[in-house]
Structure formats: C-alpha cells, structure tokens
C-alpha cells in the first residue's frame, strides 16, 4: 500500500540534507519541462498534522474522484487520517512517494512549501496551490514588524514567489495576503475556506441535537517569548478559589483550553488546570486534538486575544471576547493588519471580573455586540454557504488543465 521504504534508516546530517535538497531541486527543474498526462495532486503538512483546509479539501477531492494523495511524514500522521482516506496515503520516505513527487501535476499547501519537508525543493517547481490556514488579523511575513527587509526578500525568493494560486475567504484578505506575501493579486481567488463547509453543516446539526452545556473555547495566540503573566487567565485578581466558586455557580459551563502547539509554558498551565477541574476544564492541546475545526461548531463563546480563531464562529453569530492584556506591546512588536477593534467584535477584558461579566453576557447572546459581529463577518467572509470546497476545486481545475 505504501511502497518499499528505502530511506527509513537513512541518517541525514546537515551536509547530506543540503545535498539532497539540491539534488531534488535539480530534478524538479528537469521534470518541470517534461510533458505529463498524469494529474496527481499531492497534499502534506508539517509536524505530522492532518487538519484545516488541506484536510477537508483532500477529503472532498478524494470523494470527487480526483487522483489525490496525502504524503505522510510519520505513522502518527497516518493514524489521524480516517480509514476511508488512507487508501491514497503514502509514507514520505518511499519509492512510491518519490515517483509521485516527480510526476505529480500540482501540490496543495496550507502553511508553506515546508509542508512537504525535504521534498519542498522539488515541489516548488510544480503547480502550487496555497489554501492557507486562516484569515489572520496580526501582521505576518512582510507585514510583521519584526521581519526586516532582508528576511522579507529571502522569504519571497524561497517561498511565495512559487505560488501559482492562493484561495482565501474574503476580498479584504485577498489584499492582505497580496501585501503580506507579495503574491500577484490575480493569483489570489476568493472562494471561501474549505473548512467552512464543515463548520456550517456541523453547527446546524449540533444546534438541532444539543444538550444543556455552555461550551467556551479559550484559545490565545502564540507570542514566542515569556510573558509577565500566564497566557491563560493572565489577571492579577485571578485565583483558583474564585474560579472554583464561579464554576460551582455555573454548573453548565465547560472551559476548553487550546494552547498554541509551540507554547510549552501554556500547555503546562492547561494540563494543571484540567487536572484541578476535571470535567469542567478540558485540555485541548494539539497532542489531545490535532484539528480544532473538527469540534469548532460546539462552542457557544470564543475567548482569544489576537488570533483569528473567532472568525468561523461568527458565521453562526457566536459571541466572542478578548483578553488583550499586552495589547500595546503586541501592537509594537508584531502589529495588526487592520484596526483591532474592527476585527475583534467583543469586550476587551483586563481582569477576571471583566471576563466573568463577558461570559455572563455571552450566555444571553451579547446583543450589544451583534452589529459589530455582523460587520466583521461581512469583512472576512464573502460566502456563508457550504460550497467553498466546490469553488476551490474550480480554481484547482483551471490550474491543472
């Protein structure tokens, strides 16, 4: 099924990896000019992930009889793929994988060419569709204040200059992606994100069969450095006793805490809280749940800071609130692509009592923010139907035909 593993025991120190990447670069250039009637489409993700737009587009195209393959970096990644879709899962370090990389027509990425590991040097010469992983509100790449001109130029040269098409959810993000990655706006297509289809259909089914819990997703963004306070509940007035009392007063509330995969400090904090409050605080670390999109529809409130994780729930008018305790510092170091108040349509809380007040308001719909939620929703979503995968498929078809 997966081919003969020829590299499984290969030791690759830096010099060998450099040579291998150079060799694959040459092969990619050579095979780029060879005519091929094969229309293999390859998917992969870094860090053994199987989630987001890549996951849902892969499954949609698989069911639509496209010749799609998922290139697995590890057995743990393979295990995340539903059994039905493992039929075209191929381990990266196999002869079959090499064959597919050489003769494929296009590749689909969600973060960067690094989704394909060492084969990034080869696949950059194929047709590259980037379905991205979110409509960010913070500065990324060329719009990130911490990125200097040299670093930006290097990124364009080795990465975004190879993109043949990009799909996004809105017109405004089309312009943002164009500026942040210096990609020709004509290559950026407003289709809606593939994962939106699942959210809309799952949310509708969930509301029809839901029970009495009030589910809160708390998912801060990654900062890359230590902060004065813990990322979760970073308040001077926060203590375990008050939190326990609040949970006892509101027995229907369940907190789902989602630390960033790279945030070790917060992951440790989440594990501790989940142990202290079993059943009331749920650890949603990436090692527990790789794909947050698979359960995003169950939440009645989203708490974040500078992430865009609250965007999809806006399609169902789910309230949100924001813990912006280090706003001025984050604004200076990273920056935002749009006015923060415009893209964060909910209360900004700076202490535990304000958070409690925000949660209590959300239990009744947080009507005071409904107009701003609608404005933000319109800004970041052109479509609110369940046809995003269909539109992305159309872009891919025009690319490979």
């Amino acid at each position: 099924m997966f081919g003969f593993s020829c590299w499984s025991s290969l030791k690759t120190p830096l010099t060998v990896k450099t040579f291998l990447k150079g060799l694959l670069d040459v092969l990619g250039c050579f095979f780029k000019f060879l005519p091929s009637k094969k229309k293999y489409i390859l998917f992969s993700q870094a860090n053994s992930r199987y989630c987001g737009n890549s996951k849902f587009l892969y499954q949609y195209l698989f069911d639509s009889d496209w010749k799609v393959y998922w290139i697995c970096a590890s057995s743990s990644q393979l295990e995340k793929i539903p059994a039905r879709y493992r039929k075209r899962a191929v381990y990266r370090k196999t002869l079959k994988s090499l064959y597919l990389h050489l003769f494929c027509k296009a590749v689909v990425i969600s973060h960067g060419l690094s989704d394909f590991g060492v084969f990034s040097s080869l696949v950059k010469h194929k047709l590259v569709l980037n379905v991205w992983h979110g409509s960010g509100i913070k500065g990324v790449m060329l719009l990130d204040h911490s990125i200097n001109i040299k670093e930006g130029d290097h990124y364009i040269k080795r990465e975004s200059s190879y993109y043949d098409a990009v799909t996004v959810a809105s017109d405004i993000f089309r312009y943002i992606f164009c500026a942040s990655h210096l990609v020709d706006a004509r290559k950026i297509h407003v289709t809606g994100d593939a994962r939106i289809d699942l959210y809309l259909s799952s949310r509708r089914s969930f509301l029809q069969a839901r029970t009495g819990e009030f589910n809160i997703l708390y998912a801060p963004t990654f900062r890359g450095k230590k902060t004065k306070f813990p990322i979760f509940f970073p308040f001077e007035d926060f203590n375990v006793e008050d939190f326990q009392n609040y949970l006892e007063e509101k027995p229907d509330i369940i907190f789902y805490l989602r630390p960033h995969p790279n945030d070790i400090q917060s992951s440790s904090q989440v594990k501790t809280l989940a142990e202290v409050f079993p059943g009331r605080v749920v650890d949603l670390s990436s090692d527990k749940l790789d794909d947050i999109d698979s359960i995003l529809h169950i939440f009645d409130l989203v708490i974040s800071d500078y992430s865009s994780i609250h965007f999809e729930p806006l399609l169902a008018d789910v309230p949100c609130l924001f813990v912006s305790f280090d706003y001025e510092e984050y604004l200076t170091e990273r920056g935002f692509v749009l006015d923060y108040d415009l893209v964060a349509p909910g209360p900004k809380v700076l202490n535990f009592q304000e958070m409690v007040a925000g949660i209590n308001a959300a239990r009744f719909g947080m009507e005071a923010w409904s107009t701003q939620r609608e404005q933000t929703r319109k800004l970041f979503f052109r479509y609110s139907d369940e046809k995003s995968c269909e539109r992305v498929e159309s872009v891919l078809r025009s690319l490979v035909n």
Side-chain angles (χ1 to χ4, degrees):
M1 176 179 175
F2 302 108
F4 174 75
S5 179
C6 59
W7 298 337
S8 58
S9 61
L10 181 64
K11 305 299 182 182
T12 52
L14 183 60
T15 52
V16 176
K17 287 184 178 179
T18 302
F19 171 77
L20 184 57
K21 286 184 177 181
L23 176 61
L24 291 172
D25 193 0
V26 172
L27 286 173
C29 288
F30 177 75
F31 277 82
K32 180 179 182 179
F33 297 102
L34 287 181
S36 175
K37 295 182 179 180
K38 300 178 177 66
K39 292 187 178 179
Y40 302 141
I41 311 297
L42 304 191
F43 289 74
S44 191
Q45 281 186 321
N47 302 319
S48 293
R49 304 202 69 187
Y50 180 71
C51 61
N53 291 324
S54 287
K55 167 186 173 179
F56 297 115
L57 182 62
Y58 168 72
Q59 294 179 178
Y60 176 85
L61 295 177
F62 185 104
D63 291 335
S64 301
D65 295 325
W66 281 69
K67 295 179 181 178
V68 292
Y69 292 86
W70 189 281
I71 307 301
C72 291
S74 65
S75 57
S76 63
Q77 188 175 42
L78 176 65
E79 291 171 1
K80 296 172 185 176
I81 303 176
R84 169 179 171 76
Y85 300 104
R86 291 183 194 174
K87 296 176 183 178
R88 299 208 196 107
V90 179
Y91 279 122
R92 183 175 291 168
K93 296 178 180 180
T94 62
L95 290 175
K96 184 172 182 179
S97 169
L98 176 61
Y99 172 82
L100 289 171
H101 280 89
L102 290 173
F103 291 100
C104 72
K105 187 73 173 181
V107 298
V108 178
I109 60 176
S110 60
H111 289 72
L113 294 168
S114 59
D115 280 345
F116 281 84
V118 68
F119 280 110
S120 62
S121 300
L122 193 158
V123 299
K124 68 184 181 182
H125 299 292
K126 304 295 182 176
L127 294 170
V128 178
L129 169 62
N130 192 339
V131 294
W132 205 233
H133 53 277
S135 301
I137 61 178
K138 58 198 175 199
V140 297
M141 302 320 303
L142 303 188
L143 300 182
D144 184 341
H145 294 175
S146 65
I147 299 295
N148 60 44
I149 293 176
K150 184 177 180 179
E151 291 171 328
D153 288 345
H154 180 64
Y155 171 79
I156 295 166
K157 182 179 179 180
R158 66 176 173 81
E159 178 70 37
S160 59
S161 62
Y162 291 100
Y163 298 169
D164 296 285
V166 178
T167 57
V168 296
S170 68
D171 295 278
I172 189 67
F173 195 63
R174 177 173 179 249
Y175 307 135
I176 291 172
F177 197 97
C178 176
S180 60
H181 296 75
L182 209 64
V183 173
D184 188 332
R186 292 169 295 183
K187 295 181 178 180
I188 306 174
H189 307 269
V190 182
T191 59
D193 291 330
R195 64 188 182 192
I196 291 174
D197 294 357
L198 174 76
Y199 178 80
L200 291 171
S201 61
S202 298
R203 181 67 179 179
R204 185 175 61 254
S205 299
F206 172 76
L207 292 177
Q208 291 172 352
R210 71 166 303 158
T211 53
E213 292 87 2
F214 187 81
N215 299 318
I216 300 174
L217 174 63
Y218 190 175
T221 195
F222 182 58
R223 285 162 174 78
K225 66 175 186 178
K226 280 193 173 184
T227 56
K228 180 180 179 182
F229 296 101
I231 297 299
F232 289 90
F233 307 104
F235 311 123
E236 291 184 352
D237 65 336
F238 179 78
N239 61 72
V240 172
E241 288 185 5
D242 287 345
F243 187 52
Q244 182 173 356
N245 291 336
Y246 181 67
L247 292 178
E248 290 176 353
E249 292 172 4
K250 308 292 184 183
D252 60 331
I253 286 181
I254 301 176
F255 280 86
Y256 292 78
L257 307 188
R258 176 75 169 182
H260 191 279
N262 297 330
D263 193 342
I264 298 174
Q265 180 184 6
S266 293
S267 296
S268 177
Q269 182 192 8
V270 168
K271 285 176 174 38
T272 299
L273 288 170
E275 291 172 359
V276 175
F277 302 102
R280 305 301 305 280
V281 174
V282 179
D283 180 0
L284 273 192
S285 301
S286 57
D287 61 337
K288 305 287 186 182
L289 178 70
D290 185 39
D291 187 12
I292 188 65
D293 291 299
S294 63
I295 66 166
L296 193 59
H297 60 278
I298 75 168
F299 299 111
D300 304 293
L301 170 66
V302 177
I303 302 176
S304 188
D305 41 27
Y306 318 119
S307 171
S308 60
I309 197 165
H310 64 286
F311 281 172
E312 273 79 20
L314 288 176
L315 290 166
D317 199 30
V318 172
C320 43
L321 60 87
F322 302 89
V323 184
S324 51
F325 70 99
D326 56 349
Y327 170 77
E328 293 296 337
E329 183 179 357
Y330 199 89
L331 177 66
T332 301
E333 294 183 357
R334 186 75 180 263
F336 301 95
V337 294
L338 293 171
D339 180 77
Y340 182 59
D341 289 326
L342 180 66
V343 298
K348 317 303 184 292
V349 299
L350 298 177
N351 57 60
F352 185 61
Q353 292 306 311
E354 289 181 354
M355 173 180 277
V356 167
I359 294 172
N360 292 339
R363 290 163 65 86
F364 297 97
M366 206 181 282
E367 290 299 319
W369 290 87
S370 61
T371 298
Q372 190 169 340
R373 287 200 299 270
E374 181 182 10
Q375 292 173 342
T376 304
R377 181 170 63 249
K378 289 181 177 179
L379 187 65
F380 282 93
F381 296 99
R382 181 194 288 184
Y383 304 104
S384 57
D385 55 15
E386 297 172 27
K387 297 182 178 181
S388 293
C389 283
E390 183 180 322
R391 287 184 288 267
V392 177
E393 178 187 20
S394 179
V395 171
L396 183 59
R397 182 177 289 111
S398 65
L399 197 63
V400 301
N401 287 340

